[in-house]
Each structure stands twice: as structure tokens, then as C-alpha cells.
Amino acid sequence: MSQFGILLTQNCSWAELQTHARKVEELGFNSLWVADSFANPFIETEWLEGWTTLAGLSQATQSIRIGTLVTNIVYRHPAIIAKQAITVDHMSNGRLELGLGAGGVPTDHSMTGTPMWTGKERQARFAEFVTVVNKLLTQETSSFSGEYYSFEDAYVSPPPHQQPILPLVIAAHGPKSMRLAARYASKWSFSDPGLGRKGKEAAAAIREMNNYLDDQLRSVGRNPEEITRSLCCGYCAATMWSS
């Protein structure tokens, strides 16, 4: 069964954003998402921080599922993200979906003083990040020692409101990140197959990506039907509220 969600970019006042969120819920959409870059990556405009915005929207809405599309790993430790996610999951009475992505917007690095990563380092960091978050969401006490992230005896209580698992939404387009999604994700998020493909060519590329994910899911002992496929589309210059 198809479901539809709305990505609300937080380039407006808090009062306006609450009004928009309540309207999206009133219209019957299944989910509501916010972006998570340090600033608008395209133009200079007002821009509210993603996770504090999401916490506020958990109180401004009642039933719609909420999440980050997707959480930026550039300037955060995965242990902190896990604790924030659990907190918002409780605040929303179990409506959170935790989106995770590898990032890549140059301004997220330059504006926070984080050196730009190579593609290889970004993929390695993302793999560690997802592994750490999964451990902390599913274990009361855990430790981790990796190349980029380390911690000892992290005690997590309470556990997520949603049981047996808080849904992870993993943004993935390449083979490495898609293998990561196959292992950990409840939902796979992707935007388009790239390279300017349109129509039947784009559909064929998306079909190929789905088939690859199915193969990876089977390789780790999961049924391909276990994971939801989420296509992010409809980008345009005009605001959705102008019509």
C-alpha cells in the first residue's frame, strides 16, 4: 500500500512551521519530515536546526509520523543522536522514524569547522555511525571502538518507546550504503537514479537499484518485503504553500 509524506524545509518562522505541520497532518498525509543541514545549502535564508525543530513538532502534532530526512552525521556523535532519537520517540508517543544519511553538503563542513571528507572516509564513517546507533537503540549498555567513533559502557535508559525496534530510515544510492540499509534499515530512502535520467530510463535504473537491494537483503537473511522503499521526489523552486 502506498503512503505519502511531506518534507517541510524549515526556512520560515517557528509559528509558520507549526501551522504548516498541522495542515499536513489535517490533510491526511502519513508522515512529516524535516531537513538536517546546518543552513540552507542552496540560498541564504532563515533556517531552524533540524532536531530541535523535530522535538517541537512532536508536540505541535498528534498522530502523524515524524522524522529527519535525513540526520546529518557531519558534526554529531552517533551516541548523542541515539539519545536524541529515543527522547523524541517518547515525546511523540512512538511516532519517530530516524533517518540517517552520509551527508556531503560542503557548507555543513565549512560552517562547522569540520574538514571535508573523502568519499572513502565518508562511507566508512557512515557505516560506523549506523552500527553505533543501532547498538545503542537495542542494548541497555554497550561499548564501541572504531576508527572514527569510540565510547565505553554507554548506558541507555529508557529504551525507545517503539518496540521491538525504533525504525531506521537509511538514505542510500551506492552499493556500500545500500548494503548498510539491507542490514539495518526498516526503510530505504532514495531520491533518483541520477545522471539526468527520465521516464523509462529512470524507472529502469530504480528497478535495478531495488533488485540490488533485494539481493543484499537475502544475503543477510532478510525478506525483501521487510523493508519499505521511500522515493523522495517533487523538488521545485516554488513553495508548496503558494498554490
Side-chain angles (χ1 to χ4, degrees), residues 8 12-27 32 57 60-61 240-241:
L8 285 181
C12 58
S13 71
W14 173 237
E16 289 177 295
L17 196 62
Q18 289 181 88
T19 299
H20 294 167
R22 288 169 179 144
K23 186 64 175 178
V24 168
E25 184 172 55
E26 177 189 328
L27 289 171
L32 170 66
L57 291 179
T61 57
M240 60 183 282
W241 308 105

Side-chain angles (χ1 to χ4, degrees), residues 158-192:
H161 185 282
Q162 295 177 82
Q163 292 294 328
I165 189 169
L166 192 160
L168 289 185
V169 182
I170 295 183
H173 294 83
K176 290 182 179 179
S177 54
M178 290 182 71
R179 288 196 293 270
L180 202 61
R183 183 171 295 276
Y184 294 110
S186 297
K187 180 181 292 184
W188 165 48
S189 175
F190 64 105
S191 53
D192 60 58

